[in-house]
Each structure stands twice: as C-alpha cells, then as structure tokens.
Amino acid sequence: MTRQRLAVSETLAEIPEFVSAQQLHDELTARGDAVGLATVYRTLQALASAGEVDVLRLSDGELAYRRCARREHHHHLVCRACGTTVEIDGLTVEAWASLVGDSHGFTRIEHTVELFGLCPECSAEDAADPETVGEAR
C-alpha cells in the first residue's frame, strides 16, 4: 500500500460518519496530505470491493463511504442533517427480505437498507427552529 493510499485509509477510519470522496479529499488536504482526488476514488473503490468500507448512495446519487466497526452484515441509521451514523442489526429486515424473495421464487437474496432521519440533537434543533436544521451540512 502506498503512502497516499495509507493516508486515505487511516483518515477514513478517523471519521465517524459517511463521507464522499471529495469530502475525504478535502480532509486529507486540510491535514497536509498530498493525495490526488483520483487516488482517493481508486482507494475507496478498492476498500469497498474488499469489504473494508460500507458504501451508501445519498439522495443526490453521490456515493459516501464509511469504515464500520462491524464486518458482518448490518444496516445504518443516518441523520439527514449532520450525518451522525449508527450501525444497527436488522433481524426484521432480514426476515422480510427472505419472505419477499421466497414469495416470488427468488433465492440468494441480497439487499441494502439504510434508514434516514434526524438524530436527537438535530431533532431538538428542528423543533426549536425548523428553518435552520442541517444548515452546517
């Protein structure tokens, strides 16, 4: 692994929420790491292919990446305003996905389920001033 790829991997591990390649590149630049944006994209793709990071498609179609604490299959609860992310088990989702697949004769079901909402802090901010929630993002 090159110095640049190691910097991408280590920096991503320090960021608790999902980030885009551009956001990660900006963070690397702010830290003084000279890593090209193309290297960031290639490294993130390699990490995702190896199952070392989770990938989330945002509502605008952009991909975001996060190094999760869990290696086994799991889901995420993501704050739409601040990006806070919680890893969750989805036993009900797993059962539902199997049931839906079975009912249509499908096997080897795979799925991605992400839940989006407002975290407690952003919910409180939203209740206080619905016009400003999520402005920092």
Side-chain angles (χ1 to χ4, degrees):
M1 183 174 278
T2 67
R3 179 193 58 77
Q4 292 88 352
R5 285 182 174 242
L6 185 60
V8 169
S9 182
E10 289 176 348
T11 302
L12 185 62
E14 296 172 12
I15 300 173
E17 64 270 351
F18 280 91
V19 293
S20 69
Q22 183 64 58
Q23 289 170 317
L24 184 56
H25 181 259
D26 292 347
E27 179 64 25
L28 287 159
T29 301
R31 293 178 181 207
D33 286 309
V35 179
L37 184 56
T39 298
V40 173
Y41 275 106
R42 282 193 304 272
T43 303
L44 289 172
Q45 289 171 346
L47 290 170
S49 293
E52 294 183 33
V53 299
D54 283 350
V55 182
L56 178 72
R57 184 171 302 278
L58 302 175
S59 60
D60 64 1
E62 185 172 26
L63 296 179
Y65 303 85
R66 180 174 185 263
R67 185 177 298 277
C68 293
R70 299 168 157 190
R71 295 294 295 232
E72 71 275 359
H73 181 74
H74 62 279
H75 304 282
H76 300 99
L77 183 57
V78 183
C79 181
R80 285 190 307 263
C82 70
T84 294
T85 302
V86 177
E87 295 177 19
I88 56 173
D89 289 320
L91 298 178
T92 304
V93 171
E94 306 306 319
W96 172 81
S98 293
L99 180 67
V100 170
D102 290 346
S103 71
H104 293 280
F106 280 64
T107 62
R108 298 184 184 193
I109 301 298
E110 295 179 11
H111 64 276
T112 302
V113 176
E114 311 302 343
L115 304 172
F116 295 88
L118 294 178
C119 68
E121 292 79 16
C122 291
S123 290
E125 181 183 330
D126 183 48
D129 188 357
E131 298 290 320
T132 62
V133 70
E135 281 186 356
R137 197 153 201 210

